[in-house]
């Protein structure tokens, strides 16, 4: 057998096999696999990519993530094409530097910048030099965290673990046009600290941001009145900020920040054709109310996003969350394929739950 064939067999033998149809069967399985593959320098193969989505396979934002991590690690990749349901990824050495990632590079798309950031942010924390980034695509689109959520909820949570990153939005990208532009810088880190987010404490601040591009300003006033009416029912008076923002498209969003003594939670709603402005307020109100009726410290979206960082950190990390979702359980299974950790998940009642893990103390 030739040396080349021997090396190929060695890589295949070490390759981690991921079932993309397991659990909720969405894109998070791929994003987590790419991030951990790059950090740990472990090759993987995934089959059944986004098997539970219609249509299945790689969409522009997922393909952008594959190409981004491949560029960051000089990876060998098979199956990196739109609609592909199978991918082999063999990373090389992780490199920092300056990168420009465009979700619409392959085809016109308002694919999510924040989901792309979920893929590249963890590896770049552990790169030798950190990174400066420009990302292009959708900043406020369905089925993904808004940029406001990423900036106000996700980044402060990882900062508690020692991560240092600053991001700013230059242009807002709405569905279906996209065209958003986000810039940022990620500082390198040697090791993540453990995290404790188990008790939310007293509500300190409630702030609603009303965001609008190229639509009538009367929408903002209707939403302001509705916010005061709805939250008045809870004897709460949120701070209200209005923002008219630049974008090549049209759109509107509401982001509600709930800041407690022990942590933060965030709730978003996006406008859509035929959707009353008042319904957007109702959606964030109901989401906040649903969260506030539990004792969980963090919301369900942040719970899913923090698992990877906790598994890599040094020591015991723990959080309580308002909802234990299928996304969370699926992400746990993927992480445990890459790392010798075991998450302990306790249901405190019908929804509220506690997640604990002893991290591996990964050090760059």
């Amino acid at each position: 057998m030739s040396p080349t064939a021997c090396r190929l067999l060695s890589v295949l033998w070490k390759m981690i096999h991921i079932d993309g149809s397991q659990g909720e069967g969405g894109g998070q399985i791929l994003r987590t696999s790419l991030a951990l593959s790059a950090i740990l320098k472990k090759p993987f193969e995934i089959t059944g990519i986004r098997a539970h989505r219609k249509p299945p396979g790689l969409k522009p934002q997922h393909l952008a993530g594959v190409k981004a991590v491949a560029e960051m690690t000089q990876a060998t990749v098979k199956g990196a094409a739109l609609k592909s349901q199978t991918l082999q990824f063999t990373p090389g050495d992780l490199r920092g530097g300056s990168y420009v990632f465009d979700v619409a590079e392959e085809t016109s798309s308002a694919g999510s910048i924040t989901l792309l950031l979920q893929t590249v942010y963890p590896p770049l924390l552990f790169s030798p030099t950190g990174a400066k980034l420009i990302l292009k695509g959708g900043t406020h689109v369905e089925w993904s965290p808004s940029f406001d959520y990423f900036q106000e909820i996700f980044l402060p949570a990882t900062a508690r673990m020692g991560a240092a990153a600053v991001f700013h939005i230059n242009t807002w990208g709405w569905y279906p046009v996209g065209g958003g532009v986000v810039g940022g810088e990620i500082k390198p880190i040697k090791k993540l600290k453990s995290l404790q987010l188990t008790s939310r404490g007293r509500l300190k601040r409630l702030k609603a941001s009303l965001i609008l591009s190229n639509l009538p300003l009367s929408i903002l006033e209707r939403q302001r009145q509705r916010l005061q009416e709805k939250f008045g029912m809870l004897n709460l008076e949120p701070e209200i900020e209005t923002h008219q923002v630049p974008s090549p498209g049209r759109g509107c969003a509401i982001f509600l920040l709930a800041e407690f003594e022990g942590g933060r939670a965030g709730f978003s709603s996006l406008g859509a054709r035929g959707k009353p402005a008042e319904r957007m307020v109702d959606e964030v109100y109901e989401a906040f109310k649903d969260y506030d009726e539990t004792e969980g410290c963090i919301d369900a979206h942040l719970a899913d996003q923090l698992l990877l960082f906790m598994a890599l950190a040094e020591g015991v990390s723990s959080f309580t969350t308002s909802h234990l979702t299928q996304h969370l359980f699926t992400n746990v299974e993927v992480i445990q394929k890459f790392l010798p950790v075991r998450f302990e998940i306790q249901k405190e009642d019908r929804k509220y739950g506690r997640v604990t893990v002893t991290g591996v103390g990964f050090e760059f």
Side-chain angles (χ1 to χ4, degrees):
M1 184 179 294
S2 69
T4 301
C6 287
R7 285 195 295 272
L8 177 60
L9 283 174
S10 176
V11 168
L12 291 173
W13 180 75
K14 295 177 182 177
M15 191 166 282
I16 296 169
H17 295 277
I18 302 295
D19 179 4
S21 69
Q22 66 181 296
E24 54 87 25
Q28 185 65 56
I29 297 172
L30 175 63
R31 289 189 290 273
T32 297
S33 297
L34 285 167
L36 287 174
S37 175
I39 293 168
L40 303 172
K41 204 174 179 181
K42 290 184 177 181
F44 75 94
E45 178 183 45
I46 180 171
T47 56
I49 296 171
R50 299 183 65 253
H52 295 178
R53 301 295 186 262
K54 295 182 180 180
L58 294 176
K59 294 184 73 174
Q61 67 194 28
H62 310 105
L63 182 57
V66 172
K67 291 189 169 184
V69 181
E71 182 179 352
M72 288 155 43
T73 62
Q74 296 294 288
T76 301
V77 187
K78 293 182 180 179
L82 289 174
K83 301 181 181 179
S84 173
Q85 296 185 55
T86 302
L87 183 82
Q88 284 188 0
F89 192 91
T90 305
D93 293 333
L94 179 59
R95 302 181 307 169
S98 296
Y99 293 101
V100 178
F101 300 133
D102 187 353
V103 175
E105 182 178 1
E106 287 285 326
T107 184
S108 178
S109 172
S112 171
I113 285 175
T114 56
L115 293 184
L116 180 55
L117 278 167
Q118 284 185 10
T119 309
V120 303
Y121 177 74
L124 289 174
L125 277 176
F126 290 102
S127 65
T129 60
K132 293 183 178 180
L133 300 177
I134 296 176
L135 305 103
K136 302 177 181 180
T139 60
H140 295 73
V141 293
E142 290 283 3
W143 311 114
S144 64
S146 67
F147 179 78
D148 309 277
Y149 187 95
F150 174 80
Q151 189 171 50
E152 295 284 358
I153 306 299
F154 174 78
L155 285 181
T158 58
R160 286 173 174 250
M161 306 182 78
V166 177
F167 282 84
H168 56 273
I169 185 168
N170 298 324
T171 307
W172 278 249
W174 309 95
Y175 179 83
V177 175
V181 180
V182 167
E185 183 173 1
I186 301 170
K187 299 292 186 182
I189 189 171
K190 287 192 175 295
K191 188 183 292 187
L192 289 166
K193 299 183 293 186
S194 61
L195 180 70
Q196 299 296 324
L197 288 170
T198 56
S199 176
R200 73 170 76 147
R202 179 181 59 86
L203 179 64
K204 295 170 53 181
R205 185 187 186 201
L206 197 62
K207 183 182 76 171
S209 298
L210 313 181
I211 308 161
L212 184 96
S213 296
N214 305 317
L215 288 170
L217 297 183
S218 59
I219 291 173
L220 298 177
E221 185 54 37
R222 288 164 56 193
Q223 290 176 336
R224 178 192 293 274
Q225 292 177 6
R226 187 71 161 189
L227 275 163
Q228 292 170 338
E229 172 191 330
K230 295 296 288 187
F231 282 91
M233 295 166 58
L234 300 177
N235 294 318
L236 294 172
E237 296 183 17
E239 304 170 26
I240 300 175
E241 297 179 352
T242 60
H243 305 274
Q244 300 175 58
V245 297
S247 174
R250 298 190 302 171
C252 57
I254 298 176
F255 176 72
L256 181 71
L257 167 66
E259 185 175 0
F260 295 85
E261 291 174 324
R264 291 180 165 204
F267 312 93
S268 303
S269 179
L270 294 173
R273 186 180 297 273
K275 182 178 183 178
E278 290 81 4
R279 190 190 303 170
M280 295 171 62
V281 174
D282 295 347
E283 287 176 353
V284 295
Y285 169 79
E286 291 298 333
F288 170 79
K289 189 167 173 284
D290 190 34
Y291 162 84
D292 197 46
E293 288 174 351
T294 78
E295 295 181 14
C297 182
I298 64 175
D299 63 74
H301 301 296
L302 185 60
D304 178 46
Q305 295 170 35
L306 288 180
L307 297 173
L308 181 152
F309 297 88
M310 293 163 59
L312 290 169
E314 184 173 38
V316 178
S317 293
S318 184
F319 63 69
T320 58
T321 179
S322 56
H323 298 75
L324 292 171
T325 66
Q326 188 64 45
H327 272 85
L328 183 144
F329 287 104
T330 303
N331 212 12
V332 163
E333 291 300 317
V334 175
I335 292 167
Q336 291 179 166
K337 285 269 191 176
F338 282 88
L339 289 167
V341 297
R342 285 293 175 264
F343 286 86
E344 181 181 348
I345 302 174
Q346 300 171 291
K347 291 185 178 180
E348 304 293 343
D349 60 23
R350 185 172 60 88
K351 295 179 179 178
Y352 160 55
R354 181 183 300 269
V355 178
T356 304
V357 68
T358 301
V360 297
F362 178 81
E363 186 169 354
F364 175 76

